[in-house]
Amino acid sequence: MRGSEFVGYVAPADSVDAAESFVERIRERHADATHNVSAYRVPAGEGGSARSPDGSTMLREYQSDDGEPSGSAGKPALNVLVQRELRNVAAVVTRYYGGTNLGVGGLARAYSRAVKEAVDDAGVVESLPHERFSVTVAYDDSGTVRGLLESEGVAFDASYEAEVSFSVRAPVDSAADLRDRIRSATSGRASIER
């Protein structure tokens, strides 16, 4: 844009440490750049453990103007992530100054566009929150449980020993219903542990 070059980068990040590590890698790669503006939205707390009162994972939102005029770079970059409802993501826009001052509005548009293009180029993977639970049944009920799990398309591992144990990974919003269906299908004989 008018002589300056803006290069956008995005990467998945599941923690503040992962986001900061990505930002630092881009800064090192472009140490000669005029600015390396960063923004991220990642789970808050150790290992994403911080929870809001409703039980959802709290987010840590961060942005840095990296020497650009206040509010002209980091906030527009973060706004793209917020408006697109992206989480577990870090973004860095590297700017090589081209000799023309763009003003706050011009900078905001340029940084915003660089993040939008980086996200569009990278693509978005939608991932639903999952939970794990185990189901233990006698051999007579194992086919019924396996059939239910397969029909739901959930991920599971089965271990056939004295009894049959299923280690299940299911989307949070459907896990309780699945457990109820397993109990019902086995007339309450299934042992389920969360």
Side-chain angles (χ1 to χ4, degrees):
M1 180 168 216
R2 288 200 262 177
S4 287
E5 180 183 0
F6 294 84
V7 182
Y9 298 90
V10 293
D14 59 5
S15 68
V16 171
D17 288 344
E20 289 289 343
S21 176
F22 171 70
V23 170
E24 191 54 37
R25 281 195 311 275
I26 299 302
R27 278 193 183 124
E28 288 172 3
R29 183 185 302 168
H30 295 282
D32 59 335
T34 315
H35 305 280
N36 284 291
V37 169
S38 57
Y40 54 78
R41 295 182 82 213
V42 297
E46 188 68 29
S49 61
R51 302 274 176 210
S52 64
D54 69 1
S56 62
T57 302
M58 291 177 61
L59 287 179
R60 165 90 160 98
E61 294 181 339
Y62 172 83
Q63 52 88 19
S64 168
D65 291 315
D66 193 38
E68 291 283 27
S70 181
S72 68
K75 187 153 182 59
L78 179 60
N79 283 345
V80 172
L81 305 180
V82 171
Q83 289 166 355
R84 293 195 177 191
E85 299 179 1
L86 301 176
R87 44 180 60 212
N88 295 24
V89 63
V92 178
V93 178
T94 298
R95 178 185 183 194
Y96 289 95
Y97 182 67
T100 303
N101 291 333
L102 303 178
V104 172
L107 288 172
R109 286 187 295 278
Y111 281 103
S112 177
R113 183 181 320 133
V115 173
K116 286 176 185 172
E117 290 175 358
V119 169
D120 290 345
D121 288 349
V124 175
V125 175
E126 190 169 336
S127 178
L128 301 173
H130 283 71
E131 67 179 62
R132 295 183 184 277
F133 61 91
S134 64
V135 180
T136 305
V137 293
Y139 272 85
D140 291 349
D141 289 320
S142 65
T144 301
V145 172
R146 185 179 197 93
L148 268 171
L149 297 174
E150 288 174 348
S151 71
E152 283 295 311
V154 297
F156 70 91
D157 289 317
S159 173
Y160 293 84
E161 295 178 15
E163 294 180 300
V164 181
S165 297
F166 296 92
S167 177
V168 182
R169 182 178 180 269
V172 168
D173 61 354
S174 63
D177 180 56
L178 178 58
R179 286 190 295 271
D180 288 344
R181 290 178 45 220
I182 291 169
R183 283 186 197 98
S184 178
T186 62
S187 299
R189 293 183 298 273
S191 171
I192 301 175
E193 292 182 24
R194 289 176 69 186

